[in-house]
């Protein structure tokens, strides 16, 4: 069996198809012809650390949920959790991986989200999703993520970090600059904390 190099496949596909390549990769992974490079077999460590021992209430949305591990962690802490991915194969794989899960897994497009999701979630988790899109799509994707946060709600963003003086990245991913992290505060969100942790951003915002 020939295994596809997922990074090379991503670079080729993203050049002409900035969102459709996710489905191609997840479909190939489902057939055993590829591996998903960001499937770490568990929730992201920076999300785990941020949550600590806290219990959650209210509603949560996990953006670009992929394998589902982040969504399952958030749900296990008590939040009524919705998770979405643009890839139907990713959603199917998450449901299969976590049978009986309380997470509401859906297929949806970050760049064209459901109207009822606007200002609808008490906690929004964005881990490495905006950075997977070409920089020209970052402003629209960022605004969409920020728009999910309900009044009084919190947004957590985790992304690879780039300095404002770095040259263009070959991508994907396309690491986010500090200016791009700050852009999540548009539309009524307030910055709570922005941390640089081992070349990654972990940023928290709140809608007052």
């Amino acid at each position: 069996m020939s295994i596809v190099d997922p990074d090379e496949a991503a670079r080729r596909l993203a050049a002409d198809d900035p969102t459709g390549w996710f489905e191609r990769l997840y479909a190939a992974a489902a057939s055993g012809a590829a591996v998903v490079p960001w499937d770490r077999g568990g929730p992201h460590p920076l999300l785990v650390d941020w949550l600590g021992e806290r219990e959650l209430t209210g509603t949560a949305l996990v953006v670009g949920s992929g394998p589902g591990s982040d969504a399952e962690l958030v749900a296990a802490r008590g939040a009524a959790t919705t998770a979405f991915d643009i890839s139907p194969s990713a959603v199917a794989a998450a449901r299969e991986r976590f049978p009986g899960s309380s997470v509401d897994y859906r297929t949806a497009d970050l760049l064209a989200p459901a109207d009822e999701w606007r200002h609808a979630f008490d906690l929004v988790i964005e881990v490495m999703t905006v950075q997977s899109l070409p920089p020209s799509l970052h402003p629209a994707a960022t605004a969409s993520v920020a728009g999910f946060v309900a009044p009084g709600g919190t947004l957590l963003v985790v992304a690879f970090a780039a300095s404002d003086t770095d040259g263009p990245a070959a991508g994907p991913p396309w690491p986010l600059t500090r200016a791009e992290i700050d852009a999540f505060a548009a539309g009524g969100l307030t910055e709570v904390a922005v941390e640089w942790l081992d070349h990654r951003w972990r940023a928290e915002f709140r809608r007052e």
Side-chain angles (χ1 to χ4, degrees), residues 26 62-71 83-86 90-91 94 105-106 129:
Y26 277 106
V62 177
V63 176
S65 51
S69 297
D70 293 339
F84 76 90
D85 201 282
I86 197 170
V91 172
Y105 287 105
R106 302 192 193 182
T129 301

Side-chain angles (χ1 to χ4, degrees), residues 39-134:
D39 184 358
R40 59 190 67 85
H44 196 285
L46 292 184
L47 171 60
V48 175
D49 179 70
W50 181 79
L51 282 173
E53 300 299 321
R54 79 179 77 180
E55 295 297 321
L56 301 174
T57 59
T59 58
L61 180 69
V62 177
V63 176
S65 51
S69 297
D70 293 339
E72 293 298 321
L73 173 62
V74 172
R77 295 300 180 87
T81 303
T82 300
F84 76 90
D85 201 282
I86 197 170
S87 164
S89 293
V91 172
R95 289 171 176 163
E96 181 177 354
R97 179 179 290 189
F98 302 105
S101 171
S102 66
V103 177
D104 180 10
Y105 287 105
R106 302 192 193 182
T107 302
D109 185 351
L110 175 60
L111 300 176
D115 290 340
E116 62 265 28
W117 287 357
R118 181 166 177 79
H119 295 178
F121 296 94
D122 301 307
L123 175 63
V124 176
I125 303 294
E126 199 295 82
V127 177
M128 309 291 196
T129 301
V130 172
Q131 68 168 42
S132 69
L133 300 170

